Amino acid sequence: MLSENDKDYVIEVLTSRLILEEKPRTALVLSFMNTTFAEDLVQGKAREIAMDAVRLCINDGWGHMPTWMERLLKIYELTIVDAKIAEIWERSRHQPPPVADPLDQTVLNNSTPFVNRRLLRSHLQRLSTAGANLQPILVVNGDTQCGKSYSTNYIEHFSNVKSILTYRLSLDPELGLSMGPREVAMDLVYQMGRPLTSMPAPETNLNLYARQLAGWVLNEASQTSSQHWFVLDNFRGEMLLPATRNFLVALSDRITTGVFSHRCRLILIGFDRAVLTVDPGKVEEERIQPCTANDVEFAVDEILKRAAGHSFNMQHLVAYVCTDLPKAPEKMYELNQRLRMLLRAVNELTVIFAAVPDIDFEAVLLQVLTGLPKDRAERMNELQQRLDDLKDSLNEI
């Protein structure tokens, strides 16, 4: 609410008034009767009371209307009799806009577009609470190339914001036949930084061994009070060994029991929910929905806000992103690529034009984006070359 210099000045002026009072504390609390201010204000000399009064008002912020700071300054009409106090109050009296929730962002970690997926965001928020102890499993499914594996970008973003430990493992189709339950369990425990020496010895009864491995993984995770999320992607198809599938089923069963349900969560991406043997009430599922025009506009608007001080015709940039998109299943991939190009261009042009006044930012932006190659690698290289050439041309002026 107040800078350090402003706070010190207000304290000095308030002290100069309070030292004239026979009972300085009473002079203030009369304006704050029936509030915690009146209860919490210290006893003491005038300066001590002034310092504590300003502290209490700053801490309360905009919790009351009128604000406590406004009440305090009105006691001696300080905004009227002191021009500097009036200037300080004019700067400080407006409540700043709420800080955007990083979990609502479309652009993750300054580089990754993640459009919509409100249902996934909602599911993860639920999983992070104690309410999910009774339903600790999430399955993410959808059509081909709809963004199932891309979900891990937001899961990592979410877990980083929430300080949740995640252990991500994706089945490489070329290694599928080599990824038995033992290898999967070892990988997960290795990611925890836990020793592998206590791994259960192989059993001839494969179902029993799968259950023992699942218990070992979850027990290692439960050695600390942190939340531990297992994110397993692409464990499906002909390359998935039956024994590995049995391990995932055992993991899902055991994670719903005892202390495991309090400290662990399981997210299965692209996994057949019908294979799970756990009670259906223990599992939530997201079926990824198509991206809408409004979703794209929201994403484009968030990206363009990075170029503060420049104006845009939103529809021109939405047209760049949406015109002639291919049909599914290639649609979402291409949409993501165009948003990535837009984000990259806006970020770099904002830096390039930081000291260039009166630039037509939108015209240059569309110029560097138009006619890029279709190949992913060539497209990024060409965009970077255009941006480098633009930077070089400005340096020559």
Side-chain angles (χ1 to χ4, degrees), residues 75-328:
I75 294 173
Y76 294 106
E77 299 294 347
L78 296 184
T79 57
I80 297 175
V81 301
D82 190 301
K84 186 170 182 179
I85 293 285
E87 178 186 334
I88 290 172
W89 178 238
E90 184 59 32
R91 286 199 306 267
S92 309
R93 68 188 182 90
H94 301 289
Q95 184 174 1
V99 176
D101 188 340
L103 299 180
D104 291 335
Q105 292 175 346
T106 291
V107 178
L108 312 180
N109 307 320
N110 202 40
S111 61
T112 305
F114 194 83
V115 179
N116 192 348
R117 300 296 294 279
R118 294 183 184 87
L119 189 55
L120 175 65
R121 296 169 192 255
S122 175
H123 281 316
L124 297 184
Q125 187 66 49
R126 183 191 64 80
L127 282 178
S128 68
T129 67
N133 293 348
L134 299 177
Q135 200 175 42
I137 305 170
L138 173 65
V139 178
V140 178
N141 274 315
D143 296 332
T144 302
Q145 294 188 32
C146 67
K148 294 187 293 294
S149 293
Y150 202 69
S151 304
T152 57
N153 289 287
Y154 185 77
I155 294 170
E156 289 176 353
H157 174 75
F158 181 93
S159 60
N160 182 58
V161 171
K162 291 284 192 175
S163 298
I164 293 168
L165 298 173
T166 57
Y167 312 107
R168 175 187 172 187
L169 185 58
S170 181
L171 182 66
D172 185 338
E174 295 184 2
L175 300 177
L177 296 178
S178 302
M179 289 289 286
R182 179 182 173 86
E183 287 70 32
V184 174
M186 287 178 61
D187 195 305
L188 294 175
V189 173
Y190 179 80
Q191 289 186 53
M192 297 176 207
R194 301 286 299 174
L196 304 179
T197 52
S198 58
M199 173 184 286
E203 283 275 355
T204 54
N205 185 323
L206 297 183
N207 288 333
L208 176 60
Y209 188 49
R211 185 173 177 80
Q212 290 175 343
L213 285 174
W216 174 59
V217 170
L218 295 172
N219 188 62
E220 292 296 330
S222 298
Q223 296 309 305
T224 66
S225 59
S226 302
Q227 266 207 9
H228 303 264
W229 288 17
F230 301 98
V231 184
L232 303 178
D233 180 24
N234 202 35
F235 281 81
R236 64 183 185 275
E238 296 178 356
M239 302 304 290
L240 178 63
L241 293 172
T244 306
R245 184 184 297 109
N246 291 344
F247 167 74
L248 298 184
V249 170
L251 189 67
S252 68
D253 284 339
R254 302 213 70 180
I255 205 170
T256 65
T257 62
V259 70
F260 304 149
S261 66
H262 291 258
R263 296 186 181 172
C264 301
R265 303 288 185 258
L266 176 62
I267 301 176
L268 298 170
I269 299 176
F271 190 82
D272 184 359
R273 177 177 174 175
V275 172
L276 300 179
T277 58
V278 68
D279 187 300
K282 303 289 186 181
V283 184
E284 277 277 22
E285 183 174 16
E286 180 204 12
R287 297 290 305 183
I288 300 177
Q289 300 300 309
C291 186
T292 69
N294 286 339
D295 296 332
V296 176
E297 287 192 15
F298 186 88
V300 171
D301 181 60
E302 184 176 322
I303 291 171
L304 295 179
K305 284 178 180 176
R306 292 164 167 262
H310 298 282
S311 59
F312 300 91
N313 183 319
M314 171 73 71
Q315 296 310 312
H316 290 170
L317 279 306
V318 170
Y320 157 73
V321 173
C322 294
T323 300
D324 296 328
L325 280 172
K327 301 296 183 182

Side-chain angles (χ1 to χ4, degrees), residues 346-355 361:
V346 168
N347 283 344
E348 296 218 14
L349 289 177
T350 300
V351 175
I352 292 172
F353 292 142
F361 197 106

Side-chain angles (χ1 to χ4, degrees), residues 319-346:
Y320 157 73
V321 173
C322 294
T323 300
D324 296 328
L325 280 172
K327 301 296 183 182
E330 292 82 10
K331 177 182 176 180
M332 290 305 298
Y333 174 82
E334 178 62 22
L335 175 62
N336 178 264
Q337 290 304 302
R338 294 186 190 184
L339 287 172
R340 281 180 179 272
M341 296 301 107
L342 176 63
L343 177 61
R344 178 72 170 270
V346 168

